[in-house]
Amino acid sequence: MPSVSVMGKKLRLVGSGEIRTMLGGVSRQRVYQITNRRDFPEPVATLQMGNVWLAEDVEAWIAARRGDLD
Protein backbone atom coordinates (compact mmCIF):
# COMPACT_ATOMS: atom_id res chain seq x y z
CA MET A 1 0.00 0.00 0.00
CA PRO A 2 1.41 3.39 -0.90
CA SER A 3 1.87 5.91 1.86
CA VAL A 4 1.95 9.68 1.78
CA SER A 5 3.26 12.00 4.49
CA VAL A 6 0.98 14.88 5.39
CA MET A 7 2.05 17.24 8.16
CA GLY A 8 4.47 14.63 9.47
CA LYS A 9 1.90 11.83 9.58
CA LYS A 10 2.07 8.90 7.16
CA LEU A 11 -1.20 8.08 5.48
CA ARG A 12 -1.69 4.70 3.84
CA LEU A 13 -3.80 4.98 0.71
CA VAL A 14 -5.63 2.25 -1.19
CA GLY A 15 -7.31 2.09 -4.57
CA SER A 16 -9.89 -0.33 -5.88
CA GLY A 17 -7.24 -2.96 -6.68
CA GLU A 18 -6.06 -3.04 -3.08
CA ILE A 19 -9.65 -3.09 -1.85
CA ARG A 20 -10.27 -6.14 -4.06
CA THR A 21 -7.40 -7.89 -2.28
CA MET A 22 -8.58 -6.75 1.15
CA LEU A 23 -11.98 -8.29 0.39
CA GLY A 24 -10.46 -11.63 -0.59
CA GLY A 25 -10.24 -11.20 -4.35
CA VAL A 26 -13.80 -10.19 -5.20
CA SER A 27 -14.57 -9.06 -8.75
CA ARG A 28 -13.96 -5.51 -9.98
CA GLN A 29 -17.71 -5.11 -10.38
CA ARG A 30 -18.28 -6.12 -6.74
CA VAL A 31 -15.66 -3.61 -5.56
CA TYR A 32 -17.44 -0.93 -7.58
CA GLN A 33 -20.76 -1.87 -5.95
CA ILE A 34 -19.24 -1.83 -2.46
CA THR A 35 -17.32 1.44 -2.85
CA ASN A 36 -20.48 3.14 -4.10
CA ARG A 37 -22.52 2.18 -1.05
CA ARG A 38 -23.70 5.14 1.00
CA ASP A 39 -22.05 3.75 4.12
CA PHE A 40 -18.63 3.20 2.49
CA PRO A 41 -15.97 5.78 3.44
CA GLU A 42 -15.59 8.77 1.14
CA PRO A 43 -12.50 8.75 -1.06
CA VAL A 44 -9.81 11.21 -0.01
CA ALA A 45 -8.91 11.98 -3.62
CA THR A 46 -9.91 11.24 -7.17
CA LEU A 47 -6.94 10.65 -9.42
CA GLN A 48 -6.70 9.80 -13.11
CA MET A 49 -6.42 6.13 -12.09
CA GLY A 50 -9.54 6.39 -9.92
CA ASN A 51 -10.50 7.06 -6.33
CA VAL A 52 -8.21 6.49 -3.35
CA TRP A 53 -9.23 5.93 0.25
CA LEU A 54 -7.47 5.96 3.59
CA ALA A 55 -6.54 2.34 4.30
CA GLU A 56 -7.52 2.64 7.97
CA ASP A 57 -11.04 3.81 7.04
CA VAL A 58 -11.50 0.92 4.62
CA GLU A 59 -10.08 -1.61 7.10
CA ALA A 60 -12.44 -0.39 9.83
CA TRP A 61 -15.40 -0.50 7.44
CA ILE A 62 -14.57 -4.05 6.35
CA ALA A 63 -14.08 -5.21 9.94
CA ALA A 64 -17.46 -3.81 10.97
CA ARG A 65 -19.38 -5.24 8.00
CA ARG A 66 -17.50 -8.28 6.72
CA GLY A 67 -20.33 -10.70 7.46
CA ASP A 68 -22.79 -8.51 5.57
CA LEU A 69 -20.70 -8.54 2.37
CA ASP A 70 -20.69 -12.27 1.66
Side-chain angles (χ1 to χ4, degrees):
M1 288 180 220
S3 64
V4 176
S5 292
V6 177
M7 296 175 54
K9 181 180 178 185
K10 280 199 172 192
L11 302 175
R12 292 182 305 128
L13 303 175
V14 293
S16 60
E18 290 87 1
I19 294 171
R20 267 182 90 183
T21 301
M22 294 165 81
L23 291 169
V26 298
S27 70
R28 287 182 295 178
Q29 181 178 1
R30 185 67 178 131
V31 169
Y32 177 81
Q33 292 170 343
I34 290 169
T35 58
N36 281 290
R37 289 172 52 144
R38 288 185 179 156
D39 64 342
F40 196 80
E42 289 291 319
V44 293
T46 301
L47 308 175
Q48 187 174 6
M49 60 161 260
N51 292 332
V52 291
W53 293 263
L54 289 174
E56 64 188 43
D57 291 349
V58 175
E59 290 164 347
W61 187 90
I62 291 171
R65 292 164 185 83
R66 188 58 181 142
D68 297 338
L69 300 176
D70 295 327

